[in-house]
Amino acid sequence: MISRAVLMSEGVGVAFEPQITTLSNGLRVVVTPMPTAQAAAVAFFVGVGSRHEVPRTNGLSHFIEHMLFKGTERRPTAPEISEAIEGAGGGLNAFTTREVTCYWNNLPFERAATGIEVLADMAQHSLLDPEELERERPVVQQE
């Protein structure tokens, strides 16, 4: 169960119920409206993390996390992905835990659709270029 989001406004808690929709493909979409916010946070949670790895694939979830930032069919370079979000006034990042990998961005609320589109592009159309794979390997190994 998803807990209620709480917005603290001048010391008074105001609760907003998340709206949960499950699409026909099984994707769950959770929206928590916050009418007073001027920013939107967009996050894609993928149910993979280090817990699901065996010694032979150790670090693979984190490696894939890095690779999704390297280019897509629409945005073939890492700077183009970053510019799509940063150029809209936002920030873009990701993290991998034992349970999940999360790709996220935050933007001015009127640009939330851009945030969704960029993360969807990264998840569905990443190039996973072999040259980028080799360049990124030592980075992930050091982390």
Side-chain angles (χ1 to χ4, degrees):
M1 179 70 183
I2 297 175
S3 63
R4 295 169 69 140
V6 177
L7 170 67
M8 298 303 289
S9 174
E10 299 176 5
V12 178
V14 180
F16 297 99
E17 286 293 326
Q19 301 166 0
I20 304 169
T21 304
T22 302
L23 304 179
S24 62
N25 64 2
L27 181 70
R28 280 181 290 172
V29 178
V30 180
V31 176
T32 304
M34 300 178 99
T36 59
Q38 295 183 3
V42 177
F44 282 14
F45 287 88
V46 183
V48 295
S50 61
R51 177 182 306 272
H52 309 287
E53 298 169 352
V54 297
R56 185 165 110 32
T57 61
N58 190 32
L60 186 58
S61 299
H62 188 210
F63 189 66
I64 292 170
E65 170 205 316
H66 278 236
M67 290 307 301
L68 294 194
F69 285 86
K70 297 296 181 178
T72 68
E73 294 169 10
R74 181 171 177 196
R75 299 170 182 90
T77 66
E80 288 174 277
I81 292 172
S82 295
E83 177 59 28
I85 298 298
E86 293 169 6
L92 175 69
N93 212 329
F95 61 86
T96 298
T97 68
R98 288 185 46 78
E99 305 294 335
V100 299
T101 301
C102 175
Y103 303 88
W104 63 269
N105 59 56
N106 55 17
L107 297 121
F109 67 92
E110 67 272 8
R111 301 301 300 271
T114 299
I116 294 168
E117 193 280 323
V118 169
L119 291 183
D121 186 35
M122 291 168 60
Q124 295 176 332
H125 304 289
S126 282
L127 296 176
L128 301 176
D129 177 46
E131 290 179 19
E132 285 292 341
L133 286 165
E134 289 308 313
R135 275 196 288 270
E136 198 63 23
R137 185 184 312 273
V139 173
V140 173
Q141 287 172 335
Q142 287 178 354
E143 290 183 5

